[in-house]
Amino acid sequence: MAVGLLIGVMLFVATVCLLAASGLAARSARASFACTVAGTAAGLVAAMAVLLGPGDWEWTSALAPGGENFRLQLDGLAAFFLVLVCVVGCAGAAYACEYWPESTGSAARGRAWWNALVLSMGAVLLVSNGVHFLMAWEAFALCGYFLITLDNRYAGVRAAGWLYLAASHVGTLALIAFFASLAQSLGTWDLGPTNDVPSIAPLFWLALFGFGMKAGFFPCHIWLPSAHANAPSHVSAIMSGVAIKMGVYGIVRFGGWLPVPDAAGYVVIGIGAASAVLGIAFAFAQNDVKRLLAYCSVENIGVILIGVGAALLARSHGNAAWGGLALAGALLHVWNHGLFKSLLFFGAGSVLHATGTREMSRLGGLWKSMPWTAGLFAVGAVAVAGLPPLNGFAGEWLIYLGLFEGATTRAGFAWAVLPAAILLATAGSLALAAFAKAGGVIFLGVPRTKPAAGAHECGPGMLAPMLALATACTVIGVAPSLVWMPVARAVGTWNPAWSGAANPLFALGPAQLLLAVLAAAAGALLWKKSRANGLRRAPTWDCGFCRPTARMQYTGGSFAGIASGWFAAIFRTEHKSRRPRGPFPASAFHLDHVPETVLDRMIRPTGALIEKLSHAALGLQHGRLPFYILYLVAGLAVLGVYVFLEAAL
Amino acid sequence: MTIDWILRIALWVVLAPLLPGIINKVKAWVAGRKGPPVLQLYYDLNRLRKKSVVLSDIASPAFVVAPAVAWVAVASAAFLLPLGPADAGVSFRGDVLLMVYLLALARFCTAWAAMETGSAFEGMGAAREVSYAVLGEAAMFAAMLSLCVQTGSISLVDMLEPTSAVGTALLAAGLFIVLLAENCRVPFNDPNTHLELTMVHEVMVLDHSGPPLAAILHGASMKLLLFAVLLTTAVLPMDRFSPAGAVGALAAGILLVTVGVGLTESFLARISFRNVPLLLTMAFLLCLFSLLVAWKGCASALGSAGVPPASSGRQDACAPGDPLPSSARAWRGGAA
């Protein structure tokens, strides 16, 4: 039991360190950061000890907050998510040291809430009691709120915070109902595998909605774009890379522990496919780089849910082995997305830091002033587009493998994998388009505005975490077999019937490594050959047009124009334009804006209607006594008539 | 093993530039012209190899590196394709997905390099390329899924050997349209023009010169050969031929596809850009129908509405239209 003891000690150390980091936040930035590093490292050791070690870890205390015994449990699935929390928790804290300095006035607050967020997410993963889960969940949601509104001088930031808080609590409400119903049906608040009680299957829908609000799948994503765009970039990174994964954790966790309705697999695949395609379509159409990344998170949650849905489907039909592959792909994608999305948000943060704008149409040509950021962003872009040889492809490849294997069985129930695979491919090619646009418009070409021209490379404090994340993306890409053991462990925890599967990545890994080496070698060779032949710099030729200016460059809006047209019915893009008139037109403009369609066209009008009806009802409350007496009499009269009629019939 | 690999790479690298030459010869023949020599692209490549490079002021080194990476991606994808009796260079479960995504990587690199120049033309080309590829890739995935469902395998070697039986005609038509779109041939794009605004691929590579341009041109010809091989092997029952017959059938098939592309270009005009998505959607629908035929054809073979056993492996689901599943592959290893 030495391993169990080690895990317990490490978790204790992690808790103490993170609490200390929170406490020291206002006193010493350096000490606080050291505590964060120590705490996340200890958490990482504990999680890896569970993933690579012999068994789960459990601990029950005599303490009973909320009237329930305090019970902690770290199994393969929870440990898998804990790894991501610790890695991004550490990388983000390091990035924040330079990105969010004391001069912002909220650096100390930021550190305090950051460590509280990491700690509360760890608590969500560890507790195994409904009451405590809700407590940890609420703490986690509140920490997120304070981090998003760190820079609360701006109205946009405050509004994003409110929206996040409201959406989060709608989800929490569903979760309270879920856990309470669960406790009532089972007679205990303790959580654990309860697959033998089929009557509680419908509760899965409550959990799906409650956790889905946090995970941000379509159309529960309404809070996500504005929250992730307006938060400081290191906060966006952990919110997008890790916090929404807590929602995925909830769905995976309770989809595994509880019996699920028959339709669950189909519904989750459907939600996943819709989120993947619509999320990335919205991302492609964005002009704000952080909004683009936020919508891309909706897509990636969709990709993960496709894998989870396939796993649910396969499990409910005799544990077909392809479900295990799909789930392994989904879980690997949880890690991958956490890594490359954090990398991309850090990159966007560096751009914002250097130029003061998130609008891509005001950027351009940044590779010259920020070559490191540009290169690292490009690595993230290749990874997020799911292209070989990086990690994004490894995860998506596993999901595809599960879906294609499901298709080849030709079992009648497996029809859903066909549209899922095709829609996943569509989302993948849209992601490629979206990141060719993001990378191209921000970093390539010529600067479009003065701030973009005067950009500067960020310091080593911001580059180092990005470099670490990019390295992780590359390593998982070229040697995916390294991470197979933790993934297989988590899959085995979810469904023991799938434990001990052979590593399907053994062939892909060498292929990806070979590709990476060949690509690097070919690139170097061609560069050398071009240099040897003579390399001359000249203005862009462009078919003989004169030197192109920034105003002649293709813009992000035009780049996405073709594909946006296909989704016009959903986007409801707002066009504003004044055409050039007369022989000497004085001015002309064309503006395209993709609104937050679900929020602006559905939620807000519904909210306005409810408000209007409430206002109408308010007319009944005027404070004049005779009328209240009249209401009473009228009410009594109606009751009397009702009773009389019932007696008569 | 090593000799097999070297021969295979040599085959792809050496033969690929022949295809555009054949297409141009066919076009010239139909138009009653003499046309450029069949080996024209070889001469061009040789010339470009020696030339110096003019690089745009605003382009980063990635502008030169990207064509190399794209070339490696296409070559690696080609390496995964089985060549009749010679099988594939590397084969594993799920290699079909790697092949499709390698082509996507090549596209990303080309689009990235196009954005490097900051020119309106090249940005426009990149936007078109990545947008139309969304539909093309959906069609490609439907086609590959249909082959997987038909043969019960997800590695290219097993998928491409038997004919796809019932849905073959649909699949062939769909894949041919995808071939035209992905290789930027008429009716999607006119490879002859350089100065027209309505272009996709050619406009993206306007600013390349010297060895990088050679890599791009060679990569494009290799991509064309890749699609021709894919189409031929997907349609023909390669496992029914003797090794020599298979090689002959493959060569004949590639020639037929190439001549077909030439004839299409001779007799068809480029369609307007508004209609490109429609044609690609048609290709997607053709592939989708072939997928449905594969799926339903199998379901009817299973008998009425009987749901197959839940954990049915592909062996007991139903036998695909392939009466000689593994015995016919006996000639494989030896021939390679």
Side-chain angles (χ1 to χ4, degrees), chain A residues 218 277-286 295 570-571 594-597:
Chain A
F218 210 89
V277 174
L278 291 175
I280 197 65
F282 269 98
F284 192 20
Q286 299 302 313
Y295 269 116
I570 299 171
F571 281 4
V594 177
E596 307 291 326
T597 310

Side-chain angles (χ1 to χ4, degrees), chain B residues 239-305:
Chain B
D239 54 352
R240 311 266 173 100
F241 298 116
S242 68
V247 172
L250 187 61
I254 294 170
L255 194 66
L256 193 70
V257 172
T258 316
V259 173
V261 172
L263 291 178
T264 313
E265 294 200 359
S266 305
F267 294 113
L268 232 59
R270 190 171 46 66
I271 56 173
S272 88
F273 256 84
R274 234 170 313 151
N275 292 333
V276 166
L278 293 181
L279 190 55
L280 276 171
T281 309
M282 198 176 86
F284 169 63
L285 287 178
L286 285 169
C287 294
L288 188 66
F289 282 130
S290 97
L291 170 60
L292 291 181
V293 167
W295 184 263
K296 282 318 270 187
C298 201
S300 62
L302 278 172
S304 55

Side-chain angles (χ1 to χ4, degrees), chain B residues 80 83 116 130 224 294:
Chain B
L80 294 171
L83 289 172
E116 290 265 7
V130 296
L224 183 60

Side-chain angles (χ1 to χ4, degrees), chain A residues 284 317-320 325 367-368 374 377-378 381-382 385-389 393 396-397 400-401 403-415 417-418 421-422 424-426 428-430 432-433 435-437 439-441 443-446 502 504 507-508 511-512 514-515 518-520 522-524 526-527 529-530 533-543 545 547-549 552-554 558-560 562-563 566, chain B residues 5 48-61 64-65 67-69 71-73 76 92-98 101-102 104-105 107-108 111-113 115-124 126-128 130-135 137-138 141-142 144-145 148-154 194-195 206-207 211-212 215 277 284 288 291-292 294-295 298 302 307-314 317-320:
Chain A
F284 192 20
H317 290 86
N319 291 319
L325 288 174
W367 78 265
K368 249 180 194 165
F377 192 93
V382 172
L387 296 175
F393 179 69
E396 288 195 20
W397 182 80
Y400 276 124
L401 200 63
L403 297 178
F404 273 55
E405 291 266 326
T408 54
T409 63
R410 292 180 269 203
F413 70 87
W415 61 267
V417 302
L418 301 180
I422 293 174
L424 187 54
T426 310
S429 43
L430 276 169
L432 187 157
F435 282 90
K437 162 183 157 170
V441 174
F443 292 106
L444 306 180
V446 275
L508 184 71
Q512 298 241 75
L514 192 64
L515 177 70
L518 283 179
L526 192 61
W527 178 249
K529 171 83 181 150
S530 305
N533 282 11
L535 202 66
R536 192 158 53 83
R537 288 279 184 176
T540 299
W541 176 58
D542 203 16
C543 264
F545 275 62
R547 185 193 292 263
T549 69
M552 286 165 68
Q553 273 183 113
Y554 223 50
S558 318
F559 198 90
I562 299 173
W566 301 337
Chain B
W5 280 32
L48 287 170
R49 187 175 61 83
K50 291 177 260 176
K51 285 204 159 201
S52 66
V53 176
V54 182
L55 195 56
S56 165
D57 287 332
I58 50 177
S60 75
V64 175
V65 172
V69 177
W71 187 89
V72 166
S76 311
F92 56 91
R93 195 167 60 134
D95 56 0
V96 53
L97 301 160
L98 182 59
Y101 268 80
L102 280 170
L105 175 65
R107 189 190 318 137
F108 184 82
W112 185 277
M115 295 298 281
E116 290 265 7
T117 59
S119 110
F121 266 10
E122 281 159 69
M124 190 182 292
R128 285 171 178 168
V130 296
S131 301
Y132 295 140
V134 172
L135 295 169
E137 196 152 302
F141 258 83
M144 293 301 121
L145 257 181
C148 289
V149 169
Q150 192 67 48
T151 58
S153 167
I154 51 173
H194 274 281
L195 259 175
L206 275 179
D207 259 80
F284 169 63
L288 188 66
L291 170 60
L292 291 181
W295 184 263
C298 201
L302 278 172
V307 178
S311 61
S312 60
R314 57 175 188 260
C318 86

Side-chain angles (χ1 to χ4, degrees), chain A residues 3-165:
Chain A
V3 179
L5 191 65
L6 169 80
I7 296 169
V9 170
M10 280 299 160
L11 286 174
F12 178 72
V13 170
T15 314
V16 171
C17 284
L18 288 173
L19 283 175
S22 239
L24 289 171
R27 297 226 190 99
S28 157
R30 198 165 290 182
S32 172
F33 175 59
C35 285
T36 309
V37 172
T40 49
L44 190 63
V45 169
M48 289 315 279
V50 169
L51 285 174
L52 304 176
D56 300 345
W57 176 84
E58 251 184 279
W59 181 72
T60 312
S61 138
L63 269 168
E68 293 286 323
N69 263 348
F70 198 57
R71 204 159 68 88
L72 296 180
Q73 190 188 16
L74 192 65
D75 63 0
L77 193 62
F80 190 85
F81 282 81
L82 187 59
V83 169
L84 187 61
V85 170
C86 292
V87 169
V88 179
C90 183
Y95 184 83
C97 289
E98 189 181 319
Y99 176 73
W100 207 253
E102 308 301 324
S103 56
T104 55
S106 51
R109 256 191 306 139
R111 283 192 291 274
W113 287 117
W114 179 274
N115 291 295
L117 178 76
V118 173
L119 193 61
S120 58
M121 284 198 288
V124 166
L125 295 172
L126 277 163
V127 295
S128 58
N129 180 290
V131 175
H132 302 144
F133 189 98
L134 284 172
M135 290 177 174
W137 189 261
E138 183 62 15
F140 150 53
L142 287 179
C143 293
Y145 168 76
F146 287 112
L147 280 172
I148 288 171
T149 55
L150 216 48
D151 201 9
N152 52 19
R153 289 167 298 169
Y154 301 103
V157 173
R158 292 196 298 271
W162 279 118
L163 186 60
Y164 161 78
L165 203 59

